[in-house]
C-alpha cells in the first residue's frame, strides 16, 4: 500500500474538457494526505478557472513563466524543487508531445524540465488522437524516460465518440499516485517530540539554561515525518533550521513546554521527550533587571514539572519515550529512570564522552526497556534518528498487539 501522507503533489492542468475533473482530483489527492499546488497552461484556464483550483488547493495557482510577481513568490525552479510528484492531469496530446521533446515554452513544461521528482501524466483526448501513431510514439518515449502514464480509461467521450482516451477518474489517479510512494512505518500516526533546552527567566534579561543543541530531537522529528508520521515538534530556543512539513511550537520555559505538550499529546500515538528541560527554575522572576548592589547573590530555585513523567501518568497515554544523559552507570540509571517515570523506552547516552551527545554530530546510545536493553554503535544523529524511529515504530505495533490480545 502506498501513501501520499506528507507528500507534495504539483498538479499540472492542461487544456482539455477533462480539466473540470481537476477540482475533484485536488480533493482526492488531499484526502490521501498530499499537499497540492497547481500549475495551469493558458489553454487550461479556458476550461476551469484558476480561482476554483486556488480555492480548493489552498495555494496560489501558477500560470505564467514570465510573470515577475509570481516568480518572486514561488519561481519555476522552486516549484520544481518543491514537488515530490508532478502529476499532469489532464495531459493533452499537445502537452505530451511538448514534454516528450523537452520543450520549455510555458511554465508547466519548464517546471517539468527543471525537476528531479517523479512525473506522471494522465492522458485525456479524443480516441483518434490517442490512437495516432505520433501520440503513441511520444508516450513510448516518455515511458523510457521513466515518466508514469496513468490511464487513459475507455468510455463515452465529450465529442460523442466511444473508446480509449478518457482521463482516469480522480480517485483512481490519486490511488495510482499513492502507489508511487511506499507507506512509511508511522503512516497516519501522530508523534509529538520535545527538543532543545528550556530557558528559565530570572529577570527580563537573564535566564538559566543549558547547552542542548536540539539536534537529536530535530533529527527524530525529520525521521518520524519521513516514516509518514504527522509530527509536532515542541522546541526550546535552538540555532537550527526549522524542518519542513512539521508543525513546530516554539517555547521558552519548562512550564510553556509542559502546557504545549499536554495539548498536543491528546490523541497522539507516540511521545518522545528529547528536550533537556531545566530541572529547576527561579522561585520568582524579578519584574525589573536585578541590580548588582550586593557582593553576594542568592537565587532560590524550585523544581520544574517533569514533562515526560506527567505524560506517562496520563490515563490515555501515548507510547512514551525518554532520554537519559548520564556520566556514569549508564544502564543502571537509565533503568531507574524507566521505572520511576513509567516509560516504555529510555534512550540512554554517556555525556562524559565529548565526542558524542550534547552539541556533537554523533551519538551512541543504549536502548533500555522493561526487562531488556540493547546497545547501538556510534553513528551520526540523523542515521541514529532513523534507527530509533524504526525501533519505536516496532515497539508501538507490538504494544498494540499486546493490548488487542489482552
Ligand atoms: O530525569 P532526567 O532529567 O535525567 O530525565 C531525562 C528525560 O526526562 C528526558 O527525556 C527529558 O526530556 C525528560 N524530562 C522532562 N521534563 C523534565 C525533566 C526531564 O520531560 N522536567
Amino acid at each position: 500500500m502506498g501513501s501520499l501522507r506528507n507528500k507534495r503533489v504539483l498538479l499540472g492542468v492542461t487544456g482539455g474538457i477533462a480539466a473540470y475533473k481537476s477540482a475533484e482530483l485536488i480533493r482526492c489527492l488531499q484526502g490521501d494526505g498530499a499537499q497540492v499546488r497547481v500549475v495551469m497552461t493558458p489553454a487550461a484556464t479556458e476550461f476551469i478557472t484558476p480561482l476554483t483550483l486556488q480555492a480548493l488547493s489552498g495555494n496560489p495557482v501558477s500560470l505564467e513563466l514570465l510573470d515577475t510577481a509570481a516568480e518572486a513568490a514561488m519561481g519555476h525552479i522552486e516549484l520544481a524543487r518543491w514537488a515530490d510528484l508532478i502529476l499532469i492531469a489532464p495531459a493533452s496530446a499537445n502537452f505530451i508531445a511538448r514534454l516528450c521533446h523537452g520543450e520549455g515554452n510555458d511554465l508547466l513544461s519548464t517546471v517539468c524540465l527543471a525537476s528531479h521528482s517523479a512525473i506522471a501524466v494522465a492522458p485525456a483526448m479524443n480516441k483518434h488522437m490517442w490512437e495516432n501513431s505520433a501520440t503513441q510514439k511520444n508516450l513510448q518515449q516518455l515511458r523510457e524516460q521513466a515518466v508514469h502514464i496513468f490511464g487513459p480509461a475507455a468510455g463515452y467521450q465529450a465529442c460523442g465518440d466511444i473508446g480509449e482516451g478518457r482521463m482516469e477518474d480522480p480517485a483512481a489517479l490519486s490511488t495510482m499516485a499513492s502507489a508511487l510512494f511506499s507507506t512509511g512505518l508511522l503512516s497516519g500516526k501522530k508523534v509529538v517530540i520535545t527538543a532543545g533546552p528550556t530557558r528559565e527567566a530570572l529577570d527580563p534579561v537573564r535566564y538559566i539554561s543549558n547547552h542542548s543543541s536540539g539536534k537529536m530531537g530535530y533529527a527524530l522529528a525529520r525521521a518520524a515525518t519521513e516514516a509518514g508520521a504527522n509530527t509536532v515538534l515542541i522546541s526550546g530556543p535552538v540555532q537550527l533550521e526549522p524542518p519542513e512539513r512539521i508543525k513546530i511550537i516554539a517555547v521558552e520555559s519548562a512550564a510553556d513546554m509542559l502546557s504545549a505538550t499536554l495539548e498536543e499529546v491528546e490523541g497522539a500515538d507516540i511521545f518522545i521527550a528529547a528536550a533537556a528541560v531545566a530541572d529547576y527554575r527561579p522561585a520568582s522572576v524579578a519584574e525589573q533587571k536585578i541590580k548588582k548592589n550586593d557582593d553576594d547573590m542568592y537565587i532560590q530555585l524550585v523544581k520544574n514539572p517533569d514533562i515526560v513523567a506527567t505524560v506517562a501518568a496520563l490515563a490515555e497515554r501515548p507510547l512514551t519515550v525518554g532520554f537519559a544523559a548520564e556520566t556514569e552507570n549508564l544502564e543502571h540509571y537509565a533503568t531507574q529512570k524507566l521505572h520511576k517515570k513509567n516509560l516504555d523506552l529510555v534512550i540512554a547516552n554517556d555525556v562524559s564522552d565529548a565526542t558524542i551527545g550534547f552539541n556533537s554530530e554523533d551519538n551512541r546510545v543504549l536502548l533500555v526497556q522493561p526487562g531488556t536493553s540493547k546497545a547501538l554503535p556510534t553513528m551520526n544523529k540523523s542515521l541514529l534518528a532513523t534507527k530509533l524511529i524504526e525501533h519505536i515504530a516496532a515497539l508501538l505495533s507490538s504494544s498494540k498487539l499486546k493490548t488487542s490480545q489482552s
Side-chain angles (χ1 to χ4, degrees):
M1 266 267 294
S3 166
L4 289 177
R5 202 165 288 280
N6 298 329
K7 297 293 175 212
R8 295 160 164 180
V9 178
L10 187 70
L11 177 63
V13 183
T14 73
I17 185 63
Y20 80 92
K21 294 187 193 166
S22 309
E24 196 190 336
L25 179 54
I26 292 172
R27 284 277 188 249
C28 293
L29 294 166
Q30 288 169 333
D32 286 337
Q35 266 188 65
V36 182
R37 281 184 177 268
V38 180
V39 173
M40 299 175 81
T41 62
T45 62
E46 302 290 331
F47 293 90
I48 187 163
T49 70
L51 191 61
T52 303
L53 302 189
Q54 176 166 311
L56 291 171
S57 66
N59 285 308
V61 168
S62 307
L63 298 165
E64 305 279 349
L65 182 58
L66 305 174
D67 175 336
T68 41
E71 280 289 300
M74 193 172 207
H76 61 284
I77 301 293
E78 273 167 291
L79 278 171
R81 280 204 200 111
W82 178 86
D84 296 306
L85 168 68
I86 300 177
L87 169 61
I88 298 144
S92 63
N94 171 52
F95 189 81
I96 287 171
R98 291 198 289 120
L99 181 64
C100 176
H101 295 109
E103 288 185 13
N105 49 1
D106 65 5
L107 179 61
L108 184 56
S109 54
T110 310
V111 170
C112 291
L113 270 182
S115 175
H116 284 292
S117 46
I119 300 182
V121 296
M125 64 196 74
N126 164 270
K127 73 168 187 173
H128 300 295
M129 289 167 82
W130 170 253
E131 284 161 3
N132 190 295
S133 64
T135 303
Q136 289 303 318
K137 231 190 266 167
N138 289 340
L139 284 160
Q140 187 48 35
Q141 190 182 317
L142 288 183
R143 278 188 200 100
E144 284 163 18
Q145 287 169 217
V147 172
H148 304 274
I149 317 291
F150 292 170
Y156 281 100
Q157 301 202 308
C159 48
D161 280 335
I162 300 174
E164 251 191 313
R166 272 169 64 98
M167 187 172 92
E168 271 290 2
D169 279 339
L173 285 177
S174 189
T175 305
M176 290 177 197
S178 302
L180 299 178
F181 301 98
S182 58
T183 312
L185 286 170
L186 292 178
S187 191
K189 303 285 183 236
K190 181 175 180 186
V191 179
V192 179
I193 300 175
T194 62
T198 63
R199 279 182 186 170
E200 310 300 332
L202 264 169
D203 70 13
V205 295
R206 303 185 182 94
Y207 56 80
I208 296 174
S209 191
N210 60 64
H211 288 297
S212 166
S213 64
K215 282 179 192 156
M216 195 64 238
Y218 274 56
L220 281 165
R222 279 198 189 86
T225 307
E226 209 40 56
N230 162 17
T231 312
V232 180
L233 180 60
I234 300 169
S235 175
V238 294
Q239 306 295 320
L240 298 173
E241 276 291 303
E244 291 188 334
R245 308 173 202 210
I246 291 175
K247 175 175 172 188
I248 301 190
I249 303 175
V251 295
E252 293 239 334
S253 67
D256 295 344
M257 190 174 268
L258 176 66
S259 56
T261 301
L262 288 178
E263 207 161 292
E264 288 295 338
V265 289
E266 228 183 284
D269 299 279
I270 296 169
F271 174 59
I272 307 175
V277 183
D279 289 330
Y280 294 90
R281 67 177 185 278
S284 61
V285 183
E287 263 179 44
Q288 305 299 333
K289 186 179 168 194
I290 301 168
K291 301 307 259 178
K292 51 171 185 280
N293 295 331
D294 304 320
D295 287 342
D296 299 316
M297 153 127 194
Y298 299 93
I299 303 166
Q300 194 193 345
L301 299 175
V302 292
K303 214 170 197 173
N304 262 332
D306 192 304
I307 301 170
V308 76
T310 309
V311 171
L314 294 172
E316 295 275 320
R317 65 168 226 170
L319 184 106
T320 307
V321 179
F323 274 75
E326 306 293 347
T327 52
E328 55 176 354
N329 300 331
L330 190 61
E331 184 158 6
H332 174 68
Y333 286 136
T335 309
Q336 268 188 350
K337 215 160 273 185
L338 182 84
H339 295 302
K340 190 168 158 231
K341 300 194 184 200
N342 188 30
L343 306 181
D344 298 293
L345 168 68
V346 167
I347 302 164
N349 63 318
D350 179 355
V351 284
S352 66
D353 182 344
T355 62
I356 55 169
F358 268 23
N359 248 319
S360 83
E361 292 305 318
D362 292 338
N363 204 352
R364 183 177 60 242
V365 302
L366 184 69
L367 305 180
V368 181
Q369 283 164 232
T372 97
S373 71
K374 178 179 164 188
L376 296 185
T378 305
M379 59 187 111
N380 150 311
K381 281 182 179 170
S382 123
L383 177 61
L384 177 63
T386 308
K387 300 267 174 226
L388 291 174
I389 289 296
E390 282 168 14
H391 186 87
I392 292 167
L395 210 57
L396 181 69
S397 43
S398 70
S399 74
K400 288 250 156 76
L401 201 67
K402 267 189 232 147
T403 329
S404 65
Q405 280 170 350
S406 60

